[in-house]
Amino acid sequence: MDIPVSTLAHGLDKVLFKPGVHYLKNPKTKSFNFTPFLENITQPIDFNFEALQPYITSSKDNSLIELAQSHNKRYVGSTSSVSSVLSHFYFVMSNFKPVDTACLSPAFINESKKFTRGTRVPASIYLRWKDGVYAVDVDKSYDVEDTVLSEMGRSLEKVLTHEPSDYSRYLKNSESPLPEEQRNQRESYAYGEMGNILLRSQLDCHHSRLKRGTFDLKTRAAVPVRLDLQNYTNYLGYSLRRRRGLYESFEREYYDMMRSAFLKYNFQVRIGHMDGILVAYHNTRKIFGFQYIKREEMDARLYGSSEIGDQVFRNALVMFESVLNEATKKYPNQTLRISFDTAEKSIGVAYTNIYVEAVPPEEENKTNKYKTKKEMEDVDRDSLISDPYDQISVFKLETKSIVNGALVTGPLELSNKKSQWNLYYQINELSLCQDEIIKRFRNLRKRQLAITLPSTSPNPMMQKFQKISEATLRAEAEGEAVEEEEEKTVDIHQ
């Protein structure tokens, strides 16, 4: 049975066909470009999440497992479970090639072009053995609760694809809640295969005029909210009021997305055969505007061209399957935990250490004893970093790129889309003593934990963001207009 894919509501379709940022409200005239209904965001406490289908991990998706069996596929996964791992394959094959920020204004000339620390952090997955198929699930050892952003992401998808009367049925105080049959309707998915891998992608939205038909919905919180999520209410006044600039601008959010999210988004779009992403910019209190970013635009910022992006995607999947083959050969027919840690051996030469653990049967379904980040913060951090399972092996992935017949040293730079790029790789098991393996593994987990529980030390940048927020909220309370910069109509992303 074909399951219909959602379409945009509120006249948001026009965003898909006019590049650049579309303000929800004109910053100078204060008139709305779209319905005012979109401005104020429903808070999680008011939304009925039980009206939504729960997320199904790859290992619990029986339809996915059966599809893999019928097509003789050995491995299955989803966009969310493999995108972080595929990012590590890009880091190693490109030697941490920086993003291209040439499209931005001079305000960003001296800003970093590297991928963010959170993007480069080691990635861990479970490879769960089930009915002759291995299913890739994310390791959620330190991801213990739904954040306000993950909850709002789910509710805002309904906002963007439903008219007000239909959306109201998802609220807790609805007088006409959704009937059971609508609550239980299965999500719409696309599937992609390469080699022995079968991947699932949820389809968020569709428009018949787009080249590839479907696209992803992304709800993007402003910089300070993401950097200090535990204290997000400190930044409810931080607004996006201008196109360009380092602060309170859509350009700053775009810059941050390039470094922290474009790579993940790009892999997800490719897995789902999608055209691009529609981004709704917000601060958890209000929506400020929208932007449609095509796959080709992300390709240009990340790789230089879509032709190179296609090669990157294929290479990443080939190396992923090779790693999984090595891991399952070492520890066959059982559930594994695999961690990927990419670093630079020397300037411009990257490698990936891969830690493969055999998960004891009694540990397979074990849940985290901490239910919230607050509980984790209240204990000694070292106690949160566990040793690996008893059976563990370490592999090293190294690559070599030849471009137009010449060996590449340093970050991968391809002069044009017609450049001939050949990638070679090798995977070798390292001979390390157990103490050295444990030491390295604990260091890896420590860096993962540092992203989940960031430092509580005072941060001057966050203090600056908070002052900006407080000033805006004071001006709103006093009925004063916040000074705006001159509005530009130039599209900065072409």
Side-chain angles (χ1 to χ4, degrees):
M1 180 182 69
D2 289 335
I3 301 170
V5 182
S6 297
T7 56
L8 291 172
H10 319 294
L12 288 169
D13 302 61
K14 67 180 182 181
V15 178
L16 303 176
F17 304 102
K18 185 178 179 183
V21 170
H22 294 247
Y23 285 89
L24 173 60
K25 181 193 291 186
N26 187 297
K28 297 194 74 173
T29 66
K30 306 303 179 187
S31 61
F32 282 91
N33 296 318
F34 301 94
T35 171
F37 166 77
L38 292 170
E39 183 174 38
N40 295 312
I41 296 175
T42 303
Q43 296 305 297
I45 195 173
D46 299 317
F47 190 88
N48 180 17
F49 289 98
E50 292 183 359
L52 304 181
Q53 279 286 301
Y55 175 76
I56 304 174
T57 60
S58 301
S59 63
K60 294 182 179 179
D61 188 341
N62 293 328
S63 297
L64 178 63
I65 300 292
E66 291 170 4
L67 188 62
Q69 292 169 334
S70 66
H71 286 76
N72 296 314
K73 300 299 178 184
R74 185 173 173 81
Y75 309 108
V76 298
S78 65
T79 52
S80 59
S81 68
V82 304
S83 55
S84 293
V85 172
L86 295 181
S87 296
H88 278 267
F89 291 117
Y90 177 63
F91 298 149
V92 72
M93 78 174 85
S94 71
N95 290 323
F96 286 104
K97 179 184 184 299
V99 298
D100 182 1
T101 61
C103 63
L104 303 181
S105 70
F108 292 86
I109 286 179
N110 296 320
E111 297 299 310
S112 175
K113 298 175 178 60
K114 292 183 178 180
F115 289 97
T116 61
R117 188 165 63 99
T119 305
R120 302 192 312 269
V121 71
S124 296
I125 59 172
Y126 279 97
L127 192 63
R128 300 193 187 276
W129 172 247
K130 184 176 181 180
D131 300 330
V133 174
Y134 290 97
V136 178
D137 288 346
V138 174
D139 172 20
K140 289 184 171 288
S141 296
Y142 299 133
D143 188 8
V144 296
E145 62 181 339
D146 286 336
T147 67
V148 65
L149 296 188
S150 63
E151 290 179 331
M152 283 188 173
R154 300 183 72 201
S155 62
L156 283 174
E157 283 185 15
K158 298 303 179 184
V159 171
L160 301 178
T161 57
H162 289 73
E163 297 299 336
S165 59
D166 294 325
Y167 172 72
S168 67
R169 305 183 76 182
Y170 289 94
L171 303 181
K172 287 182 178 178
N173 63 359
S174 173
E175 296 180 357
S176 178
L178 288 175
E180 199 67 25
E181 60 268 22
Q182 284 186 252
R183 292 189 185 202
N184 295 331
Q185 184 173 346
R186 182 175 166 83
E187 299 286 357
S188 179
Y189 295 112
Y191 299 90
E193 60 177 305
M194 184 171 178
N196 274 314
I197 300 177
L198 176 67
L199 297 175
R200 181 197 75 191
S201 173
Q202 183 173 321
L203 298 178
D204 287 348
C205 225
H206 175 270
H207 197 289
S208 59
R209 287 173 54 199
L210 290 176
K211 178 180 177 181
R212 300 178 187 92
T214 57
F215 57 96
D216 230 350
L217 296 177
K218 300 296 183 185
T219 53
R220 187 72 176 173
V223 170
V225 173
R226 293 194 313 279
L227 294 181
D228 190 15
L229 191 54
Q230 293 293 93
N231 302 297
Y232 76 94
T233 55
N234 290 342
Y235 314 102
L236 297 180
Y238 185 91
S239 306
L240 305 185
R241 59 183 80 259
R242 53 186 69 94
R243 288 186 184 270
R244 300 175 185 264
L246 285 175
Y247 303 106
E248 295 190 288
S249 76
F250 289 97
E251 185 180 41
R252 173 59 183 266
E253 303 306 318
Y254 187 91
Y255 163 75
D256 196 64
M257 272 198 298
M258 279 197 287
R259 298 176 57 229
S260 66
F262 264 19
L263 191 55
K264 176 178 67 176
Y265 291 168
N266 191 272
F267 284 133
Q268 291 173 350
V269 164
R270 276 188 151 80
I271 291 169
H273 319 290
M274 289 181 276
D275 190 76
I277 59 173
L278 178 81
V279 183
Y281 296 100
H282 68 93
N283 69 353
T284 74
R285 185 173 71 111
K286 291 183 177 181
I287 289 178
F288 302 110
F290 309 93
Q291 182 177 10
Y292 187 65
I293 303 173
K294 294 182 70 65
R295 179 203 291 187
E296 289 79 5
E297 183 175 342
M298 289 188 282
D299 288 341
R301 307 293 175 247
L302 292 167
Y303 318 118
S305 72
S306 293
E307 288 76 10
I308 300 304
D310 291 340
Q311 281 187 265
V312 164
F313 185 54
R314 287 193 298 269
N315 290 339
L317 286 175
V318 167
M319 287 191 286
F320 188 32
E321 182 178 346
S322 295
V323 168
L324 297 184
N325 287 341
E326 290 289 339
T328 55
K329 179 181 177 182
K330 184 73 178 183
Y331 303 110
N333 302 338
Q334 58 188 304
T335 293
L336 309 176
R337 183 168 65 185
I338 310 177
S339 299
F340 300 79
D341 185 12
T342 307
E344 290 183 291
K345 178 167 60 178
S346 58
I347 296 177
V349 180
Y351 65 92
T352 303
N353 279 339
I354 302 159
Y355 298 78
V356 180
E357 304 167 81
V359 180
E362 66 272 15
E363 296 284 333
E364 285 190 30
N365 298 312
K366 190 175 180 179
T367 58
N368 197 316
K369 67 178 181 179
Y370 301 104
K371 302 303 181 186
T372 67
K373 287 186 179 180
K374 182 65 172 64
E375 290 180 22
M376 295 172 67
E377 290 172 344
D378 290 340
V379 301
D380 180 66
R381 289 203 174 198
D382 284 344
S383 68
L384 297 171
I385 303 171
S386 60
D387 287 344
Y389 296 120
D390 291 338
Q391 288 185 286
I392 179 171
S393 301
V394 183
F395 296 84
K396 186 175 185 178
L397 168 67
E398 296 178 287
T399 66
K400 180 173 68 175
S401 287
I402 306 294
V403 176
N404 298 329
L407 176 66
V408 174
T409 57
L412 180 67
E413 295 291 346
L414 298 168
S415 56
N416 61 68
K417 62 185 181 181
K418 294 183 179 180
S419 294
Q420 184 66 41
W421 174 33
N422 294 303
L423 180 74
Y424 302 89
Y425 70 92
Q426 62 180 10
I427 304 168
N428 296 305
E429 184 174 356
L430 300 181
S431 297
L432 301 172
C433 69
Q434 192 71 4
D435 286 347
E436 179 63 20
I437 291 177
I438 292 174
K439 177 184 174 182
R440 292 188 183 191
F441 182 84
R442 286 181 63 86
N443 177 269
L444 176 153
R445 297 301 264 181
K446 184 177 181 179
R447 282 177 284 140
Q448 291 177 329
L449 180 62
I451 298 299
T452 302
L453 297 179
S455 171
T456 55
S457 302
N459 184 320
M461 178 62 71
M462 301 315 300
Q463 292 171 345
K464 179 180 179 68
F465 284 137
Q466 189 169 350
K467 287 181 179 179
I468 293 173
S469 172
E470 291 169 351
T472 299
L473 292 176
R474 279 197 304 271
E476 286 183 6
E478 295 167 4
E480 298 176 0
V482 181
E483 184 178 351
E484 311 288 352
E485 288 189 356
E486 182 181 356
E487 168 62 7
K488 305 289 185 182
T489 57
V490 178
D491 173 22
I492 62 175
H493 303 315
Q494 291 300 291

